[in-house]
Amino acid sequence: MVISHSSSGPGESAYNTFSSRYAGVELPRYRMPENSIPKETAYQMITDELMLDGNPRLDLASFVTTWMEPECDKLIMDSINKNYVDMDEYPVTTELQNRCVNMIAHLFNAPINEDEKAIGVSTVGSSEAIMLAGLAFKRKWANKRKEEGKPYDKPNIVTGANVQVCWEKFARYFEVELKEVKLTEGYYVMDPLKAVEMVDENTICVAAILGSTLTGEYEDVKLLNDLLVEKNKETGWNVPIHVDAASGGFIAPFLHPELEWDFRLPLVKSINVSGHKYGLVYPGVGWVVWRSKDDLPEELIFHINYLGTDQPTFTLNFSKGASQIIAQYYQLIRLGFEGYKHIMENCQANAAVLREGMEATGRFSIVSKEDGVPLVAASLKDSTKFSVFDVSENLRKFGWIVPAYTMAPDAEHVAVLRVVIREDFSRSLAQRLLADINKVLHELDAHAAHAIKVTAPTATQNGNGVDGDDTVTQKSVLDTEKRFVAACMSLVKKNKKTGVC
């Protein structure tokens, strides 16, 4: 904290030690202030508010990278003022992007020669990457329909109901019908058989996920490809596959190189991956690569010359920072195949420790798979006393951000708790989390034991049934707490005139 001195200016006191007089001023919320404030004060006041944010390292809801080496942090800061789109001004940065595209394409077994340039582009994340891939599929499908003299006004895309929301955005923004394969209890990914059954002549592609957001599970892209090859032969269609490898694209090649999910399969035409997830780069950077130049319609690529030279561009936005692209190149050459493999093995090992520890409590059923994205998703075996939402809420007092959610249709009745394991989630943190989960379970048990019964008058007032002994049994601690708060508020309103609160 900067201490104000007597020479700091008129109106400033030598005894004001906390951002001078501004400590008593509310930060602007709606309008830009009329006057300036010292830079130290602005920094301090914003920092104070940001203290109330969660700790990114303890945010186990997110797949996004929260730690990088100091050398890479320096690279990012050194290039934070570079606008990637100025390719003529920053030709080396452009070259680094192209190198990343080539490396990722080879990692995904693209059918290109060693010295051949791959077809792909950096994005701000997998959401933009999916939009670009979807647009390429839609345009190529529409062009073919026009050539055949057939209508092209009702395109659709087939996915599982477990897809990330960016697929719904693509469908709504670009007027494509989203045909979802519903989930079932115990099977929380897209069923390839059902997906192929939903394919018709208007299907621009089938989207498979390598690493479901809900459970981390890989969908069976190989089976989907084989079934779709047969259907295409029978119908004369040419329905392709896009693989959403946002989470699993930087995991499967290192841990399961034998798994066929990528360009080794003939119908896989494009793949997206998030550099800011298991690509180990801060947000936001993503990548999309195409099998060949033929899979990206030329009319979607724009050429500009007002930045110095002719520059091709295929993005949804224009200006964007170059620092994350440079950081991705750093990680690829710094870690290499060996380094990525070692990190992913560590993540899987720590996920196993957490999974075994949660199973040992006897309270959880694990719904995630061991082979997939390193995460642990679990449901409570008994939710009559409290739910996974209660566990999630109570873990926050220890600093942990652990999400609880219901599964996608038609498995909405299944609620789970999910912990994502990232590079910076160490074994000691896993053990600490297990200890805190056990504390929360014991506290919720004790809370439930004292909150099982509510008197009949309160229950009747709230419209609940009453047992023979004039009491009602509650199924959720959270429900009991809500009724308690409601009763207190009612009491406050009732006694407001007398000043009692």
Side-chain angles (χ1 to χ4, degrees):
M1 179 57 61
V2 176
I3 299 178
S4 300
H5 300 286
S6 57
S7 60
S8 55
E12 295 286 351
S13 169
Y15 304 104
N16 287 340
T17 61
F18 199 88
S19 288
S20 187
R21 68 176 187 273
Y22 299 98
V25 177
E26 183 179 0
L27 280 174
R29 294 176 182 271
Y30 304 106
R31 291 180 180 273
M32 182 186 298
E34 293 293 331
N35 302 315
S36 303
I37 61 175
K39 58 182 181 297
E40 298 89 353
T41 300
Y43 174 83
Q44 183 64 59
M45 295 175 76
I46 295 173
T47 300
D48 289 348
E49 289 216 355
L50 290 174
M51 287 193 303
L52 298 175
D53 270 349
N55 184 335
R57 294 279 304 278
L58 300 182
D59 181 5
L60 306 183
S62 177
F63 293 84
V64 173
T65 297
T66 53
W67 179 87
M68 296 186 75
E69 292 175 325
E71 291 77 8
C72 196
D73 287 347
K74 187 175 186 306
L75 266 179
I76 289 173
M77 293 309 299
D78 288 346
S79 57
I80 201 165
N81 58 349
K82 288 185 179 180
N83 185 1
Y84 169 73
V85 78
D86 292 337
M87 298 179 186
D88 188 53
E89 182 74 19
Y90 309 117
V92 176
T93 298
T94 302
E95 170 62 18
L96 297 188
Q97 189 238 210
N98 295 338
R99 292 178 190 177
C100 289
V101 169
N102 291 333
M103 290 179 185
I104 293 169
H106 279 288
L107 189 66
F108 295 165
N109 295 290
I112 55 177
N113 298 323
E114 192 65 30
D115 58 350
E116 184 181 353
K117 290 184 179 180
I119 305 301
V121 67
S122 65
T123 62
V124 294
S126 276
S127 291
E128 184 189 5
I130 284 168
M131 303 284 175
L132 297 178
L135 284 171
F137 283 119
K138 183 182 180 184
R139 181 59 61 91
K140 192 166 184 180
W141 169 84
N143 288 345
K144 187 172 185 295
R145 298 283 290 182
K146 291 176 185 177
E147 291 174 2
E148 297 171 346
K150 297 178 180 178
Y152 53 92
D153 59 334
K154 294 182 179 179
N156 69 67
I157 189 168
V158 176
T159 71
N162 56 314
V163 291
Q164 214 262 3
V165 69
C166 60
W167 285 100
E168 297 179 39
K169 289 181 179 180
F170 166 75
R172 188 176 302 177
Y173 294 167
F174 298 105
E175 299 181 325
V176 176
E177 179 190 0
L178 187 65
K179 300 172 72 172
E180 293 184 332
V181 178
K182 304 302 182 184
L183 309 185
T184 58
E185 185 171 355
Y187 195 83
Y188 303 114
V189 292
M190 180 178 70
D191 185 336
L193 288 167
K194 294 179 180 178
V196 174
E197 288 174 359
M198 298 176 74
V199 167
D200 58 33
E201 64 178 347
N202 292 317
T203 302
I204 64 174
C205 80
V206 180
I209 304 176
L210 193 77
S212 170
T213 299
L214 301 179
T215 62
E217 188 175 352
Y218 298 154
E219 293 182 342
D220 194 340
V221 188
K222 175 70 164 60
L223 177 57
L224 175 65
N225 177 86
D226 295 345
L227 293 172
L228 203 49
V229 165
E230 291 302 315
K231 183 150 190 174
N232 285 340
K233 285 181 180 178
E234 293 171 3
T235 60
W237 303 333
N238 191 26
V239 179
I241 296 172
H242 174 85
V243 179
D244 179 358
S247 298
F250 276 113
I251 299 173
F254 306 107
L255 297 185
H256 308 288
E258 75 290 346
L259 183 67
E260 294 184 50
W261 62 272
D262 52 20
F263 292 121
R264 286 170 288 183
L265 303 174
L267 290 183
V268 174
K269 303 300 182 181
S270 56
I271 301 172
N272 70 275
V273 65
S274 290
H276 59 222
K277 291 183 180 176
Y278 289 95
L280 307 180
V281 179
Y282 294 136
V285 62
W287 304 91
V288 56
V289 290
W290 284 269
R291 184 183 195 87
S292 69
K293 189 175 181 179
D294 294 338
D295 297 307
L296 177 57
E298 179 65 29
E299 62 263 37
L300 292 179
I301 301 173
F302 291 82
H303 293 265
I304 60 171
N305 61 10
Y306 47 79
L307 291 176
T309 60
D310 179 70
Q311 298 175 8
T313 175
F314 180 39
T315 58
L316 292 183
N317 62 320
F318 192 63
S319 295
K320 67 177 179 181
S323 56
Q324 265 70 17
I325 295 171
I326 295 170
Q328 182 73 81
Y329 185 65
Y330 171 91
Q331 292 290 50
L332 290 174
I333 66 169
R334 158 76 175 94
L335 296 172
F337 194 96
E338 176 190 32
Y340 270 97
K341 185 174 188 291
H342 181 66
I343 289 171
M344 300 312 153
E345 287 174 341
N346 279 344
C347 289
Q348 289 287 18
N350 288 332
V353 168
L354 185 62
R355 180 171 55 251
E356 292 165 6
M358 293 180 69
E359 286 179 324
T361 66
R363 312 291 283 274
F364 294 100
S365 296
I366 306 299
V367 301
S368 52
K369 305 295 183 183
E370 295 184 22
D371 293 333
V373 177
L375 62 80
V376 180
S379 60
L380 280 171
K381 292 181 179 179
D382 180 6
S383 297
T384 58
K385 296 179 181 179
F386 51 83
S387 69
V388 289
F389 298 97
D390 299 321
V391 177
S392 172
E393 184 178 354
N394 280 270
L395 280 172
R396 281 182 174 265
K397 67 185 177 184
F398 296 104
W400 303 107
I401 302 173
V402 179
Y405 52 86
T406 56
M407 288 294 190
D410 285 330
E412 301 99 328
H413 59 285
V414 179
V416 300
L417 198 70
R418 189 196 68 198
V419 178
V420 176
I421 310 301
R422 299 187 302 271
E423 177 190 9
D424 56 347
F425 186 78
S426 64
R427 185 68 54 87
S428 60
L429 284 177
Q431 293 167 343
R432 166 59 68 181
L433 176 60
L434 284 170
D436 290 341
I437 287 175
N438 274 292
K439 288 179 185 177
V440 166
L441 292 174
H442 290 314
E443 290 173 1
L444 288 173
D445 281 337
H447 194 172
H450 290 85
I452 290 177
K453 294 187 176 182
V454 178
T455 57
T458 303
T460 304
Q461 182 180 356
N462 287 280
N464 290 315
V466 181
D467 293 339
D469 59 350
D470 290 337
T471 62
V472 61
T473 302
Q474 300 296 321
K475 291 187 177 182
S476 168
V477 175
L478 189 60
D479 191 38
T480 301
E481 290 175 344
K482 288 179 179 178
R483 296 184 185 283
F484 176 75
V485 171
C488 289
M489 293 301 295
S490 177
L491 184 63
V492 168
K493 291 178 180 178
K494 181 178 179 181
N495 294 285
K496 191 172 182 180
K497 293 181 179 180
T498 62
V500 177
C501 66

